[in-house]
Structure formats: structure tokens, C-alpha cells
Amino acid sequence: AHVTQATRATTRSGSTPAPSIRARLSGECHGTNPARKPTLKRREPLAASDSEQLWKPPLPALSRSSRAPTRMSSKRRRGNAEDSKRPVVVPVAVEDELEEEDAEPEELMCPITRTLLRDPALVVDSGQTYERKAIRSHFRQARASAPRGTPVMDPVTRTPLYNTRTVVNWVARRCVEAWLQRHPERTPEGWDSRELGPAGGFKGVRPEDLDALNTLAWTMDAARVHRWPRKGDVHQQDASEWEGVYFEDGRVMELDLERSDVTGAVPKVIGAFTAMETLDLSGNEITSVPKEIGACFFLRRLVLTGNSLKTLPKAIGQLASLKTLLISENELKTLPAEIGNLTQLEHLDVSWNKMNTVPSSIARITDTLKALNLQGNRLTTVPKEFGNLASLEFLNLADNDIRAIPRELGDLESIDEMDLSNNAGLRSLPESVLLLKWEGASILIDESCDIGCHPNDFEVLQALRNHWPPLKKLWVDSKPPMKWKGVTISRGDVCKLDLKKMKLTGGVPPIIGKLQYAVCIDLSGNDLTSLPAEIGNLFDLVELRLKDNPKLKKIPGILGRMDVRIEQDKGVSFQMPRFRVGTRVECNVRTNLGESRWIKGKVLQHYWRDYSWPTGQFAPYQVELDESIPGSTPTPSNAKATKIFAPADNDYCIRSMATAAKMRKRDTGHQNVRSGDAEPMEAIPVANAHSYAAAGGSQRADEPELPRIPLPDFGIFLNQGFLRSG
């Protein structure tokens, strides 16, 4: 109080105000002197997504003197010249000032719980301070969800912690005590009383949990349990002596008895660990779990994998906090219907059991269940109610005897992967589930399952049928594409196209370049005249048969760069791009200012590619311009920032000097789009090709001068076809 009065007296006297007690306390807490930011009137617990964001130091608070209400003189209101030099002071209500003074200091809040620190614990590795119970719970959950040996992450700094040891932050603790003394009538938000917790938590093991551990050691026959300190041993209060047991504030929080040779039934005393959050009994010979386990209300992770369980107690449905339930590799024939009461469950693994049916009550876990594994059972049907699992991302129904999939599964809008493989009786899928596959979800199925044809490939087949009249008689609408002559479909994708001796004439339509998974294409024995450059987009193509096409004299030169086995007639040559290496050309580029320009340059090479691009992806030309593109940034590999590439071989992208002169004479050189064509035909992507050429990065020894071009930013080249016909 004396310090506060002295500070206010100094402020009124006009000299520099001394730092407030709160500012000094916050400086001691953090090692620097960041003052707190404005009080949050409503605090919410830190969500999982929020914990990934870095916590920023509080903003400085205004001093009391600078926020005091000031009465303005009439001269100032009339605009007196002398008063205009004085600083303008904004009035602040006294009530707001007092409310901020009495608020809980932001710098003493736990970043996880968003409440005042009651037992501040400093993480040694990261230097961050948290509520002890909150940070220890974070460590337990991180260890349970991550693979063994993976370091946990600090919730604020997101740095790996190879040592999760915590110590008491005595400076923060004294700051909290000082705040409580200044506000004797206040109970901090989230506290049940004004008393601080024991520094560093409860020392040793609490009597109720110690009794339960002694009983468990007496009744359970397990190798790890035999190494526990016996009743009456002086080491019983030493938490480090209990192998596989993790304590927090004297309570058992985690019990790890994995592969401990536990046999028979789990003792009923397991229900006495009411604060326990993790129980791992995997890899033993357990035959039953008692109903008393329902008393473990705070249990978040239960692992019973690799035992001999035949049933689960109905009390399993009382574990309201359970998020992970792993009971694979047992002898379960069914699950209790009460499992649908686990409204917080996120991961349920019941794979490799002997279940004939699965309860539809699981569908009640609509908001949280993300992964459901039912692989390796004896299921013949799937409950249609599973279509209500709005949050489900992974569903494994492989290795069962399922004969039909309900159409309601097509309502799983969040699904990323659905495994339906190794179900011998499954011959087809409903249209709604197929739609999930066509929209990008990974639906794993057997080759024997008829799922039709991917819409993209069906569009190509339709275009080929309309282009070549003979195919209209062979590919009729009354039959599915799988039964069309010469069409081989595997898992919905056209993998082989056999059009041998089908009296096809003219050129092959460019749309054939959309058969992304085609491995073999046979066009021999026809009267074809040309092959489009788009065929170079077939990255999976292994074999191309073109024999006995007397009018076919040239094929795209891109095929010579691909690892494709080509069967062709004698005399057929590769058709290279229009302009030879060294030819003077003009390229249509777009600068970073958004304007389109034609710039002169010289062709450096054909079918240029960056080493980071997928196999089979090329650009027709690499060109070196006579001048750098305005706004470009030179790099060591492209000192003058003049190297670009042209993704299309046509006059709207790259043209000869003669064509450029004619177009300028007709004043049509500004036209960059074909009549009736909505897509831009610029040589350089809209987002400035020079920025890609200047991206830098490592280079291969055989391509020392080819700069890396980030493919995801290359809109035209990626989204509208890698190669287009001129």
C-alpha cells in the first residue's frame, strides 16, 4: 500500500512514474517486463486447435495517471492556440478503470485452462509455466496418442520435449499470493476456494490410492506387479518405485500393465482408481473385466488389445470421458448396446474378434467418433444407422463376410478412407457410396467388385464413341462400360483400351489424354492420321501399339521422352515442336503487375521439365527472354531473371517473329484467348512465371541451370492439361 501511494504521489508531481507492483511481478514471472493486456471478461478453456498457436506476451497496460478522467477547459474547447500544444487525454469511466484494476492478471493465467495459476509448474525444457494438473494431463494424452519413443510437444511453443520434468515456479506462486492478499474478498474464477494447492502437488501417494495399489498387488498375478514395493515398505511413498504407475498430486493417473503376464479376471479393486485417465492391459491373458470399472469416470483411454475377452460389462457405457477404446485381437462375439453412451469416444478398434453383429447404438456417437475399425470379424451386414456418424473419417470393414453395403453409408460426408476389401460376397456398391469414391474418398475394394466406371473415364469413352461412328455399334448404352468391347476397367478406372482393327479413321481426339490410369492402348490396324500431344499426359502408360496405320507418319515427340514401349510402322518419326532450338520467338507473359506483354527471346530446349515434376510431365519449350520481366528477382541460377517456359505450343502462347509482325500489323496481338474459348492461352501462368523460375532450390547435376518451379502454383500447367495440341 505504501508503495502504491508513493507511486501515485510521484505521478501527480509530474515526474516519471515508478513501475507498478503488477508490472514488477509480471517481470519477475517471465524474466522480462511484459505488462498484461486488457482483461478478457469471458475466458474459455484452451481448445486443441488453440494450443497449436503461439501464446503472445500481453500488451502493456496504461498507467493510472494516463487513464484518469481529465476536465477540459473552455479555452481548449474553443480551440485556444496555447492549449492546442497540450496532449489530448481521452476520458475513461472510473468504473471501467476499477474493473480492470480488480481483474485477474493475464500474465498469471494458465494458457491451457485459462484460469489463475493455483499450482504453477515450470516445464524445464521449454521454460513455459502451466497449471501443474493441466500440463501433466497434456503429457499423458500426448504419450497415449503418439507412437512409443516420440517426444511430446509443448502446447504453447510446439517444440519437442525430450524431458517432461516440471518444477515449482515459486515466482509465479508468490505473484498469485500477492494478488490474493490485495483482493481478500475475491475467489478466482474456476477455483473452489481461495487456498493455493500444495507446492509441487501432493508428495507421495494418497492413502486411498495406496490401499488400492496394495490390494491390486495382492490379488493380481503379474510380473510387473511383483516388483512393486510391498505394504509397509519405506519406499511405498516414493512414486518412482511403482513401475508402470504414473501419479499426479498423489493420485494414480495412468496404469500401464502391458505385457505383464496378467491372467484371469481383472480384480474389482480397479474401480477404486477414480482419478485414473489411462489404463493399458494389452498383451496379457485377461478373460474378463469387472463391472466396477464403470467407477473410473475420468478414464480417457482404455487398451485391452491382445487378450482373451469374450464379453465386456455393460458398465463400460458409464465411462463418460472415454475417448479411445482399443479391444482388438480378443474373442468378442458382440458388444454391449451401452457402448453407444460413450458420447466422447473418438477411436473404437474392435478388429480381429469373432463378432457376428455390431450394435447399431454406436451410431449415437455422431459428433465425436472419427475412427471405427471392425476388420477381421464375421460380419455379414452393416447397420444402416452408421450413416449418421457425421464425424467419421476412417471406417475399416475389411476381411469380413459382408455381402451388401447400405446406401446410407453414402451420407458419411467426412469420410476419408473406407476399406471394403476381402469381402468375398461383396459384388457391387450402392451409387451413394460410389459417389464418395468419385469425389475423392479412398474406397478400397476387390477387383471382383463391380463399381462401374469413374465419371472422368466414362466421359472419355463417351467422347471416343461420338468421335468414331464404328464404336457406337460396339459400345451400346444397354450394357455397362465394363462389358464394352476392348475396354478393361479395374476398380473403376480404365486401365486398358484395345481398339485394334475397329475401322477408326482420322485423328485421335485430345480427350484421350484424360485416361490417367491407362497402362496399355492398342490403336493398331486402323486408318489413323494423327496422334495428339495430350497423350503425353498418360503417366502410367507402359505400352502403345500403333502398327498398321499407313497414314500415320508422325507421332508427338513427347513420347520419345517417356518410358513407353511403342509399336509403330517403319518410317514413322517423332513430331518435334514447331520451333527449333535457337529460333527467335515471342512469348506472351504476364508480369506481377497483372499486365500481359509479348517479349522476344530464344528457344533454349524442347520438352523442358523440372526435376521436382512427376514422371512424364514436360513443357514444350524453355525460352530465354531478351529482357527480364518487370518486377522479377534475379537468383544465382538465373542471374538476369530471363528464363521461362512455355506450357503450350500455339500462337497464343509462343509465336514466330513473322507471325508476330503480321498480328501487330492487324492490331490483334493483344488477343490472348481464342474466340469462344474461356481458358487463357498465355505462355506464362497468371502468377508470373519469373517468380517460379526464381524459386531456387537444389538442382541435379545433369540439369545445372534448370530452376525449380513449384508445381502447385502453376494453375494452367496443372489444372488444364500438361500438354495441349498446337
Side-chain angles (χ1 to χ4, degrees), residues 426-468:
L426 189 60
R427 299 297 182 185
S428 62
L429 295 180
E431 183 178 350
S432 59
V433 177
L434 286 176
L435 187 59
L436 293 176
K437 178 177 176 63
W438 307 148
E439 290 177 347
S442 175
I443 310 295
L444 306 180
I445 52 174
D446 296 329
E447 292 188 8
S448 59
C449 183
D450 180 12
I451 62 171
C453 182
H454 192 288
N456 176 76
D457 290 7
F458 184 71
E459 177 188 3
V460 176
L461 296 178
Q462 289 276 39
L464 295 179
R465 184 174 63 171
N466 295 333
H467 182 75
W468 286 313

Side-chain angles (χ1 to χ4, degrees), residues 456-473 475 484-487 494 496-499 502 504-505 507-515 518 521-523 528 531-532 538:
N456 176 76
D457 290 7
F458 184 71
E459 177 188 3
V460 176
L461 296 178
Q462 289 276 39
L464 295 179
R465 184 174 63 171
N466 295 333
H467 182 75
W468 286 313
L471 294 182
K472 293 183 178 180
K473 300 178 181 180
W475 297 353
W484 287 357
K485 184 178 180 180
V487 179
V494 175
K496 185 177 181 180
L497 193 61
D498 186 357
L499 304 180
M502 289 192 178
L504 308 181
T505 60
V508 177
I511 198 172
I512 198 171
K514 290 187 176 182
L515 293 178
I521 297 179
D522 190 348
L523 298 172
L528 301 177
L531 201 63
L538 304 181

Side-chain angles (χ1 to χ4, degrees), residues 524 612 687 692 696 702:
S524 60
S612 64
Y692 302 130
D702 58 340

